[in-house]
Amino acid sequence: MIERSNLSVAGPGEHADAAGRWTRADRAEYGKAVRRRTPFGVMAEYGPTPDRDPVGLLETQSATRIPELVPVRYGRMAAAPFAFYRGAAAVMAEDLSHAPTTGLITQLCGDAHLSNFGLFATPERKLAFDLNDFDETYPGPFEWDVKRLVASLAVAGRDNDHSGKQCRRCTRACAAEYRETMVYQAGRGELAVWYSGIDAVAQLDEVREVLDSSTRKRIQKAIDKSWGRDSVQALSKLTTVVDGRPRILSMPPLIVPIEEIFTGAEAEQLNRVLIERLAHYRDTLQPNHRALFDRFEYVQAARKVVGVGSVGTRAWIVLLRGPGNDPLFLQVKEAQPSVLAEHIDGPSFPNQGERVVAGQRLMQAASDIFLGWQQSAGEDGVVRDFYVRQLRDGKGSAVVQTMSPELMTRYGRLCARVLAHAHARAGDRFAIAGYLGSDDDFDEAMSAFAENYTDQNARDHAALRRAIDDGTVTAQLGV
């Protein structure tokens, strides 16, 4: 169990101000002291514990999930080592909990791999690039997010048949971008750090000259496609018209309307539960956003399978419509305790959905206006926590499986910059920057860790495949 360090309760150093508060210089010196206690060489190491059981840990998670969807999760994770890595945040959290740590705390994403960054539209109708998954967000040592991100590059690069040299160049560049951005943010003012973000269109213009024409076209196509992903587009893709009213299409097991899961009175009861959930959720929105939400009425809901690691948790898409029949699609997603929480002596939350929302609002430069949470009993009487957001609002993600070494390096740097922005916004950027320093020793350490952990992830993926083959777990492949 990691205890949180708290500089604010420590005695002032020689650079403290008149009120006894730690100054920038004092915090930077603290970071350097942490580096002497936890040097970069230690950060590069990885060694499995004797009783390590990745499949058993996944099975523990499965116990709280929808039984008929657990095989879909295993099938998706079994597809490739990177797919396994995406679903194994709990496995890596367990591994990191046994390693030396800096104790330099910030708000963590908790699952900062390549596919959890992407495009979305801000409330100001700009297209931003940022972190987009916060199911595991929780305060913790900053390097846990960095290690997960850098290792994801190595895992994905190996899956894409990049050479060892190419993977190491990519992971070093990612770690260097994080370090350089954090050092830069440590020299800026509070408001400048708070408003730091990445405009996706401007970023494409910045790198346009160094990308080949086919790559530029592919990125521009992804941006254009993202702008078209909204509730209107979802209505055309996910619904049909029955008796003059939109109805969500059935595409089992990925999308199943309530009426096909339950029948008669049970379906009516669950619809009432969902309407009640939305009423409670409304109260978590800002007053001006409540006024907008009140203009929509409930139409229908369906269960939807999402992601890789989240498969089997309860997730719904909810269709609402305004007075002019304009649609609003919301996603209502179950929030379970973060995989980090059992390893860190951190805060408790009365509602895990609120934890997700609070972490997202803290880490993202701009968040969805319909982001909120609620808690209610399901059809089985069990009280569960949920968070709510728009299903689609300019959302888009990179196709990691087709990235060249050069593009993956650039994409990794972009993700690292976003992560540093979030960590600097939420944590002590002066101490973290003091720890990182100005040379490339941290970059080399993270690259070495990534290579070691990629080997471990490959063994874990093979262990899951063996468990499927011998019938220990059941997988539904290709879904």
Side-chain angles (χ1 to χ4, degrees):
M1 181 73 71
I2 295 174
E3 294 184 0
R4 297 186 61 185
S5 61
N6 188 346
L7 292 178
S8 64
V9 299
E14 61 177 325
H15 303 290
D17 63 16
R21 295 173 299 193
W22 287 62
T23 65
R24 291 189 179 197
D26 219 23
R27 291 173 181 272
E29 285 300 320
Y30 179 82
K32 293 176 183 177
V34 172
R35 190 198 315 164
R36 291 190 291 271
R37 187 186 70 219
T38 311
F40 297 142
V42 171
M43 299 283 283
E45 298 172 358
Y46 169 73
T49 57
D51 58 348
R52 194 175 182 279
D53 180 12
V55 175
L57 191 54
L58 295 175
E59 281 284 81
T60 299
Q61 286 189 302
S62 297
T64 62
R65 303 193 178 205
I66 299 171
E68 61 265 33
L69 294 181
V70 170
V72 176
R73 183 194 189 202
Y74 287 142
R76 290 186 175 186
M77 291 181 68
F82 183 65
F84 179 90
Y85 188 84
R86 289 182 60 184
V91 176
M92 191 168 191
E94 172 70 22
D95 290 334
L96 292 174
S97 72
H98 296 287
T101 178
T102 64
L104 297 174
I105 303 299
T106 187
Q107 187 72 26
L108 300 182
C109 165
D111 194 15
H113 62 72
L114 285 178
S115 293
N116 278 344
F117 294 76
L119 302 169
F120 62 90
T122 71
E124 298 77 23
R125 301 295 86 183
K126 292 184 177 181
L127 198 62
F129 180 85
D130 211 330
L131 283 156
N132 62 11
D133 190 304
F134 298 89
D135 286 10
E136 311 300 347
T137 187
Y138 199 75
F142 82 92
E143 72 271 12
W144 284 18
D145 266 357
V146 180
K147 286 183 173 183
R148 183 135 178 90
L149 172 59
V150 175
S152 75
L153 283 162
V155 174
R158 190 178 293 184
D159 268 12
N160 288 5
D161 294 324
H162 299 171
S163 70
K165 183 177 181 180
Q166 289 169 330
C167 288
R168 287 189 291 274
R169 184 183 301 122
C170 183
T171 53
R172 284 196 300 269
C174 178
E177 184 71 34
Y178 179 89
R179 174 177 53 80
E180 292 164 2
T181 302
M182 185 61 71
V183 171
Y184 174 69
Q185 294 293 77
R188 306 181 78 197
E190 297 302 325
L191 291 178
V193 170
W194 188 261
Y195 289 127
S196 293
I198 292 180
D199 183 312
V201 177
Q203 180 63 29
L204 176 59
D205 290 339
E206 181 181 323
V207 301
R208 194 180 297 276
E209 298 303 318
V210 297
L211 297 175
D212 60 75
S213 60
S214 62
T215 302
R216 289 200 303 270
K217 290 177 181 177
R218 190 161 62 249
I219 295 175
Q220 186 63 58
K221 183 178 179 180
I223 290 175
D224 294 342
K225 183 178 179 181
S226 294
W227 271 125
R229 288 175 60 84
D230 57 14
S231 287
V232 174
Q233 186 259 1
L235 185 74
S236 67
K237 293 289 186 180
L238 301 180
T239 69
T240 188
V241 176
V242 178
D243 297 329
R245 289 173 60 86
R247 308 303 292 174
I248 298 173
L249 291 168
S250 177
M251 293 177 272
L254 302 184
I255 300 178
V256 185
I258 280 179
E259 294 78 9
E260 294 185 16
I261 303 173
F262 306 96
T263 58
E266 289 181 326
E268 291 180 9
Q269 171 63 21
L270 187 52
N271 274 314
R272 285 194 294 269
V273 168
L274 282 170
I275 293 172
E276 181 181 331
R277 285 179 184 173
L278 291 175
H280 291 302
Y281 147 76
R282 173 195 177 277
D283 293 337
T284 69
L285 300 176
Q286 295 180 14
N288 57 326
H289 298 157
R290 292 177 206 159
L292 174 60
F293 179 75
D294 287 344
R295 296 172 187 172
F296 292 86
E297 64 174 359
Y298 176 84
V299 177
Q300 191 188 19
R303 190 175 71 192
K304 188 176 189 299
V305 173
V306 293
V308 178
S310 296
V311 176
T313 56
R314 289 147 187 86
W316 303 88
I317 55 173
V318 178
L319 172 60
L320 303 99
R321 65 177 180 178
N325 288 326
D326 48 319
L328 172 62
F329 263 104
L330 297 178
Q331 181 186 67
V332 181
K333 190 175 181 185
E334 183 181 1
Q336 298 186 352
S338 168
V339 297
L340 307 181
E342 66 179 282
H343 306 298
I344 298 173
D345 180 18
S348 59
F349 294 85
N351 186 307
Q352 295 300 322
E354 183 177 4
R355 170 187 59 79
V356 172
V357 170
Q360 181 167 346
R361 287 175 176 168
L362 183 57
M363 297 191 75
Q364 277 188 327
S367 295
D368 185 357
I369 62 172
F370 287 112
L371 184 64
W373 68 91
Q374 63 88 215
Q375 182 183 73
S376 64
E379 69 285 351
D380 56 1
V382 177
V383 175
R384 295 185 176 90
D385 300 335
F386 294 84
Y387 67 93
V388 185
R389 62 186 178 185
Q390 290 186 72
L391 177 64
R392 296 178 183 175
D393 189 27
K395 292 181 175 67
S397 57
V399 182
V400 175
Q401 293 80 1
T402 62
M403 285 186 178
S404 66
E406 180 186 8
L407 183 57
M408 187 173 287
T409 298
R410 291 189 175 278
Y411 185 71
R413 292 191 76 114
L414 188 61
C415 293
R417 196 184 317 164
V418 163
L419 186 63
H421 285 168
H423 284 181
R425 189 179 297 118
D428 188 339
R429 64 189 187 277
F430 311 115
I432 296 174
Y435 177 83
L436 296 172
S438 58
D439 57 34
D440 63 359
D441 289 351
F442 175 78
D443 318 342
E444 294 292 342
M446 290 298 98
S447 183
F449 171 84
E451 189 168 6
N452 290 333
Y453 202 81
T454 297
D455 293 337
Q456 180 63 69
N457 183 76
R459 293 190 292 269
D460 292 348
H461 174 250
L464 176 62
R465 296 291 306 214
R466 287 194 301 273
I468 294 170
D469 291 342
D470 66 22
T472 301
V473 301
T474 301
Q476 188 173 352
L477 303 175
V479 179

